[in-house]
Amino acid sequence: MKKTLLLLLAASTVVGTANAQSDSLLKLWYNHPARQWVEALPIGNGRLGAMVFGDPSRERIQLNEITVWAGQPNRNDNPDAREALPKVRKLIFEGKYTEAQDLVNQTFISKISNGMPYQTVGDLHLLFPGHEKYSGYYRELNLETGIATTRYTVNGTTYQSRVFASFPDQVIIARITADRPGSISFSASMDRPAAVVVSVKGNDELIMSGVTGDCDSVKGKVRFQAEVKILPEGGSVSAADTLLTVTNANAATIYVSIASSFRNYADISADPDARAEESLQKALKRDYDRSLQDHIAILQKYLDRVHIDLGVTDSVKNPTDVRIAEFSRGYDPQLASLYFQFGRYLLISCSQPGGQPATLQGIWNDQLYPPWDSKYTVNINTEMNYWPSEVTNLSEMNEPLIEMIRELAETGRQTAQIMYGADGWVLHHNTDLWRINGPIDGSFWGMWPMGGAWLCQHLWEKYEYNGDEKYLASVYPVLKGAVEFYLSTLVQYPGHDWLVVCPSVSPENAPSSHPTSSISAGTTMDNQLLFDLFTKTIRAAEILHTDGDFVSKVKEDLRRLPPMQIGKYGQLQEWIEDWDNPQDHHRHVSHLYGVYPSNQISPFRTPELFDAARTSLIYRGDPSTGWSMNWKINLWARFLDGNHAYKLITNQISLVEKPAFEKGGTYANMFDAHPPFQIDGNFGFTAGIAEMLMQSDDGAIFVLPALPDVWPQGRITGLRARGGFDIKEMEWKEGKLSRLVIKSNLGGNCRIRSYSPLKVEGDGTLLQAQGENENPFYWVPEIKKPLIAPEAKLNSVEVRKTFLYDLRTEAGKEYVFDRL
Ligand code: FUC
């Protein structure tokens, strides 16, 4: 351990490393109202989202509904692509990259739409006259209840408001109370930064209805309605024009119901008024306390599955924004735990079964035309959103993503036909609520026909964790369709027997040899994605005993995929040619997909590639955009370097005070700053912490693979490993595993890798592992030997000694391990 670190650890008062996670610590809190949107606090129930500002005199609750998107059902394929395809390929293979890119811009990139934006519903404003001066201000978001609370005192009366987005009742509920009867008076209004119709109904209801916006050549046609009903206790409520006024109430409960006309990507014929009214009426029939308790129970069912304790210091006594600002200078391990749990909270709150997947901003967006439309960018961002879902025990939250992939496999069939004359389905680097599949934004970014190949990994991953063959059979046609596209479009790379994707890009990066055009063929990431897609689809077909002939064809193409290559700087080549520049600090690290989230590169199985990939990451450097830094946390975890992963954690947890700053980090409300706000970084962080503490991708459950020196002791419960193993409990002291409890849900061999020798309690026998792990979920396909440039200097890979054990397990049984 470094000297400075030892001093740091000694200087900070560790106020506890309680075994149980202390409820009170799972909150974000502040002593001032939000001054900007990225200081407001997010609540959500998967469909409805809100940002609560906590302003005593001018409260703003910004509202979202996950299907309020611009546009209407549409496709964005460019039919000119098909004829141009052979010409583009020829130009690429002749090295005429600029010409190829120009031609793609003219013939492939959509002329219809670059994707539709996800849009804000608008704002609920609550004006409290006379509350401009207040004292004793406090506001918090409690992750265990999903309640945003604001408290302050005006003229001796203490006011409190609590806002939550109810999971069971499908409404947002705000309750305002005061410690003196008759002291609550306020007015409520609604607006949107676009034309809407606002009216009142009766004396206590406000209604806002509108239609979403146009974008590119697509007219906005999603109708939506937001209804606000106020139930005062004591006092009165009245309505005038577009305003509700509450006077001298003891308490007031505000119900917000929002619905749209969206049924699915092809149908927007629902009646938003009837839907909003139905949820509202249902919610009004229920007792407030009951609603609150039921809501909390649902949130806890998910959140409570994982507890983490990395230690607690005096820093927890500071407000969250102060802690973020001081994180890199002080010692605040609980803030890392909180950030980890915040990611889980956000996923639960924005990605519920039956809904839409988390967008670039989850479900929280205050704009009509947000950055990158807050849609689905699938060359990293959407996938990153779901990295934590299986490992941190939130498998249900995958459902909207899986549903979207199924739908993209439908819409993408036409794109494959129209643009490539190909079988199967294809998706480029973006999609939206309408499940567009065509390339957008310009060739440099959009000419990447690999979105489906990457998303399909999530279909397989779910199976690796749950072992459910029925589920696998249900997604198999989607996997097969994705493979079929490549079987009919792969072409031979000149001078080799290799089959490659052409045209394509290594996401958003251009090689130094032709920096203004990113286009090429057979990029490393594409080859890695195809390797995974092919091997997993073959495996799925074999498990399901189906499609023998198809499998033979896939195996033929699999054999002809290019191997990974190590270039002249000892780096893992990003492209098929040795074009990398060691000065390239581009945020995308696409070729390192093979390290994480994939498992193609391993210190134990492919040491040369492991070293080369690490060299590539060192060249790329640390500071970057939010999501990039969080990808690097996961990568350094896979490189088994916990201290470097921690360095990225300190880069990420650094306060970004302005929405558009020049570097990535964290806003005061703990939203990830790309900048601007992008939620992928939050989710990448959560996955990264899990990856530092436990990995299960490389043939074994690796406990504490990348623990940084700053967390010498701690405990985590509830992580999940591939093969249906629950890591019920994992505890460590002085940097070494001290206790491990694993539950086997599916039975089979449990192979464990550990830096410390282990023994098992009770009747199990822990054997030294021999040969391949025979647990079918730990099957790892063989990787081709890399091609290595003659001038490449490789470093030897030194991994700390590990112990590898096998334990036969029975389904449903728990096993307890101790250090030997
Ligand atoms: C990709 C990234 C950008 C941004 C955008 C939403 O295009 O390269 O950094 O995250 O997605």
Side-chain angles (χ1 to χ4, degrees):
M1 201 182 287
K2 295 212 182 71
K3 216 166 151 199
T4 43
L5 176 68
L6 274 175
L7 287 174
L8 240 177
L9 289 175
S12 52
T13 330
V14 175
V15 296
T17 49
N19 272 344
Q21 125 189 306
S22 162
D23 287 1
S24 60
L25 292 181
L26 279 189
K27 52 175 72 158
L28 284 56
W29 68 273
Y30 308 84
N31 52 24
H32 57 83
R35 291 160 296 210
Q36 52 179 337
W37 190 81
V38 285
E39 294 179 18
L41 295 172
I43 55 170
N45 65 9
R47 190 177 68 82
L48 302 174
M51 295 290 284
V52 183
F53 281 64
D55 192 310
S57 64
R58 308 175 71 85
E59 175 59 319
R60 177 180 170 204
I61 301 177
Q62 185 266 317
L63 303 167
N64 286 109
E65 201 276 352
I66 191 67
T67 63
V68 174
W69 287 63
Q72 58 175 300
N74 74 92
R75 303 191 53 84
N76 73 337
D77 314 307
N78 189 336
D80 299 340
R82 195 162 164 177
E83 200 191 315
L85 181 61
K87 293 180 203 151
V88 171
R89 285 179 172 152
K90 188 161 178 284
L91 289 170
I92 289 173
F93 290 144
E94 288 170 358
K96 296 177 178 160
Y97 302 107
T98 308
E99 289 92 325
Q101 184 167 279
D102 290 348
L103 187 55
V104 164
N105 276 328
Q106 288 157 28
T107 55
F108 277 68
I109 298 304
S110 178
K111 296 204 162 70
I112 299 163
S113 119
N114 285 317
M116 294 296 116
Y118 173 49
Q119 299 200 310
T120 180
V121 166
D123 293 311
L124 170 64
H125 301 280
L126 305 176
L127 295 189
F128 293 80
H131 288 208
E132 291 75 20
K133 284 214 174 83
Y134 49 84
S135 59
Y137 184 90
Y138 175 82
R139 106 187 133 100
E140 68 165 38
L141 172 66
N142 185 327
L143 304 187
E144 291 182 296
T145 60
I147 301 174
T149 301
T150 309
R151 207 173 339 165
Y152 56 89
T153 302
V154 174
N155 293 332
T157 302
T158 298
Y159 294 85
Q160 176 169 282
S161 91
R162 303 177 89 198
V163 194
F164 64 98
S166 163
F167 289 98
D169 291 326
Q170 288 299 309
V171 287
I172 292 164
I173 305 178
R175 182 162 167 83
I176 300 160
T177 53
D179 64 359
R180 212 180 284 169
S183 49
I184 298 175
S185 297
F186 65 95
S187 64
S189 63
M190 264 194 291
D191 62 12
R192 184 177 202 243
V196 274
V197 178
V198 183
S199 59
V200 292
K201 188 171 144 195
N203 63 344
D204 58 4
E205 222 174 298
L206 202 55
I207 295 177
M208 178 171 81
S209 52
V211 182
T212 60
D214 309 338
C215 185
D216 301 332
S217 60
V218 185
K219 245 196 128 25
K221 284 223 168 134
V222 179
R223 290 172 302 124
F224 61 89
Q225 173 141 321
E227 302 189 358
V228 171
K229 172 117 176 164
I230 305 184
L231 301 185
E233 285 159 40
S236 64
V237 58
S238 61
D241 213 3
T242 56
L243 204 68
L244 298 181
T245 306
V246 171
T247 314
N248 299 337
N250 307 327
T253 311
I254 306 174
Y255 290 82
V256 184
S257 179
I258 311 170
S260 87
S261 59
F262 178 89
R263 285 187 202 277
N264 60 52
Y265 69 85
D267 180 354
I268 50 169
S269 66
D271 178 352
D273 319 9
R275 280 177 160 185
E277 187 62 17
E278 193 190 327
S279 308
L280 181 65
Q281 291 309 327
K282 267 198 194 151
L284 289 171
K285 287 203 184 82
R286 307 230 306 143
D287 174 60
Y288 169 81
D289 288 325
R290 229 337 340 147
S291 289
L292 181 64
Q293 290 319 317
D294 290 353
H295 160 76
I296 293 173
I298 291 184
L299 176 58
Q300 285 197 345
K301 177 175 111 191
Y302 299 121
L303 195 84
D304 214 36
R305 289 177 184 166
V306 174
H307 288 217
I308 183 169
D309 181 5
L310 300 171
V312 179
T313 60
D314 268 344
S315 306
V316 296
K317 294 179 184 151
N318 292 330
T320 307
D321 45 353
V322 173
R323 292 173 72 187
I324 297 169
E326 290 179 353
F327 186 80
S328 61
R329 298 192 295 273
Y331 180 56
D332 189 359
Q334 199 277 334
L335 192 59
S337 316
L338 183 65
Y339 210 121
F340 167 86
Q341 292 288 31
F342 185 55
R344 296 185 65 246
Y345 165 85
L346 291 175
L347 195 62
I348 298 163
S349 307
C350 77
S351 182
Q352 283 286 318
Q356 296 296 321
T359 74
L360 277 179
Q361 299 184 189
I363 197 175
W364 300 279
N365 161 41
D366 65 334
Q367 298 174 43
L368 295 170
Y369 295 92
W372 294 287
D373 303 322
S374 186
K375 55 185 184 302
Y376 302 106
T377 306
V378 297
N379 64 11
I380 173 66
N381 318 83
T382 304
E383 289 86 356
M384 185 178 275
N385 283 359
Y386 288 89
W387 285 353
S389 57
E390 293 295 342
V391 66
T392 78
N393 220 331
L394 297 174
S395 187
E396 295 91 333
M397 273 77 255
N398 275 331
E399 202 257 16
L401 178 74
I402 288 169
E403 207 39 47
M404 177 167 85
I405 303 171
R406 289 185 205 274
E407 293 173 354
L408 288 165
E410 291 166 10
T411 52
R413 260 187 198 274
Q414 278 188 58
T415 309
Q417 262 306 319
I418 295 170
M419 295 189 60
Y420 296 85
D423 300 333
W425 66 277
V426 64
L427 169 66
H428 295 83
H429 96 304
N430 259 263
T431 190
D432 62 11
L433 185 71
W434 314 111
R435 310 305 186 231
I436 55 160
N437 302 67
I440 63 163
D441 290 351
S443 172
F444 193 100
W445 303 273
M447 189 53 262
W448 188 69
M450 305 303 293
W454 195 345
L455 286 176
C456 277
Q457 310 306 326
H458 289 255
L459 302 180
W460 174 260
E461 188 188 66
K462 191 176 175 70
Y463 170 72
E464 284 184 301
Y465 280 82
N466 70 13
D468 179 351
E469 285 182 22
K470 238 169 110 187
Y471 157 78
L472 187 65
S474 79
V475 295
Y476 175 74
V478 179
L479 291 170
K480 183 178 176 184
V483 173
E484 281 170 333
F485 173 76
Y486 299 107
L487 292 190
S488 51
T489 53
L490 290 181
V491 289
Q492 190 185 339
Y493 192 72
H496 293 270
D497 186 40
W498 299 338
L499 288 178
V500 294
V501 180
C502 180
S504 190
V505 301
S506 185
E508 310 196 18
N509 197 11
S512 52
S513 52
H514 45 93
T516 54
S517 53
S518 60
I519 204 159
S520 70
T523 69
T524 299
M525 182 193 227
D526 288 4
N527 304 333
Q528 293 170 344
L529 283 169
L530 287 186
F531 179 84
D532 278 352
L533 178 67
F534 286 6
T535 51
K536 289 165 185 176
T537 305
I538 294 169
R539 184 86 176 157
E542 287 170 354
I543 292 166
L544 300 169
H545 305 290
T546 184
D547 271 346
D549 293 346
F550 171 70
V551 164
S552 313
K553 274 194 241 146
V554 186
K555 281 185 175 163
E556 262 170 51
D557 280 18
L558 175 65
R559 200 178 40 78
R560 292 181 60 193
L561 293 180
M564 284 185 257
Q565 301 186 68
I566 297 174
K568 56 179 176 286
Y569 301 108
Q571 89 286 9
L572 177 68
Q573 281 181 208
E574 182 165 355
W575 293 275
I576 203 160
E577 304 293 339
D578 195 354
W579 287 329
D580 299 62
N581 174 0
Q583 307 301 323
D584 180 358
H585 301 305
H586 198 274
R587 61 196 179 284
H588 282 264
V589 284
S590 305
H591 48 321
L592 304 185
Y593 162 87
V595 178
Y596 184 95
S598 184
N599 63 349
Q600 293 172 34
I601 297 175
S602 141
F604 306 106
R605 288 180 292 117
T606 62
E608 288 165 332
L609 286 167
F610 181 84
D611 173 57
R614 193 173 48 187
T615 299
S616 289
L617 188 55
I618 292 166
Y619 286 145
R620 272 306 212 266
D622 293 340
S624 194
T625 59
W627 61 257
S628 177
M629 296 196 291
N630 290 292
W631 193 349
K632 290 169 187 168
I633 295 174
N634 288 276
L635 288 167
W636 282 111
R638 287 275 171 97
F639 288 130
L640 308 181
D641 188 339
N643 287 339
H644 204 140
Y646 187 77
K647 187 160 170 267
L648 267 308
I649 287 176
T650 57
N651 290 344
Q652 175 62 25
I653 308 184
S654 72
L655 189 65
V656 174
E657 289 180 271
K658 299 209 177 83
F661 202 55
E662 69 279 3
K663 69 173 183 64
T666 296
Y667 295 115
N669 67 353
M670 276 207 164
F671 271 170
D672 161 66
H674 174 285
F677 163 49
Q678 252 181 237
I679 207 160
D680 41 22
N682 288 101
F683 296 136
F685 184 96
T686 297
I689 298 278
E691 212 55 33
M692 290 165 78
L693 300 179
M694 193 276 301
Q695 299 173 9
S696 68
D697 61 294
D698 193 15
I701 295 172
F702 195 166
V703 288
L704 300 179
L707 191 65
D709 294 340
V710 283
W711 299 336
Q713 59 195 52
R715 183 172 181 269
I716 187 160
T717 65
L719 292 182
R720 292 171 76 232
R722 289 170 176 81
F725 295 109
D726 291 345
I727 312 299
K728 300 276 300 180
E729 196 182 330
M730 193 167 71
E731 195 173 35
W732 63 96
K733 288 185 180 131
E734 292 164 3
K736 292 195 179 115
L737 187 82
S738 52
R739 185 179 157 82
L740 173 69
V741 182
I742 296 183
K743 181 175 177 210
S744 170
N745 294 311
L746 304 172
N749 187 46
C750 180
R751 180 166 288 186
I752 303 173
R753 192 185 284 281
S754 163
Y755 294 121
S756 326
L758 300 178
K759 63 176 192 295
V760 64
E761 287 178 8
D763 48 6
T765 317
L766 206 51
L767 301 168
Q768 298 291 332
Q770 303 282 342
E772 288 294 304
N773 185 351
E774 68 188 40
N775 185 320
F777 297 98
Y778 283 83
W779 152 86
V780 247
E782 203 176 316
I783 303 294
K784 280 188 192 163
K785 267 202 90 50
L787 289 183
I788 305 178
E791 34 322 21
K793 284 199 191 68
L794 295 184
N795 309 293
S796 65
V797 170
E798 277 156 33
V799 178
R800 272 167 64 197
K801 179 180 164 55
T802 63
F803 299 85
L804 198 60
Y805 300 104
D806 278 341
L807 179 77
R808 308 251 161 258
T809 67
E810 274 174 49
K813 259 196 152 184
E814 274 186 29
Y815 299 87
V816 179
F817 305 83
D818 301 302
R819 198 174 346 147
L820 200 64

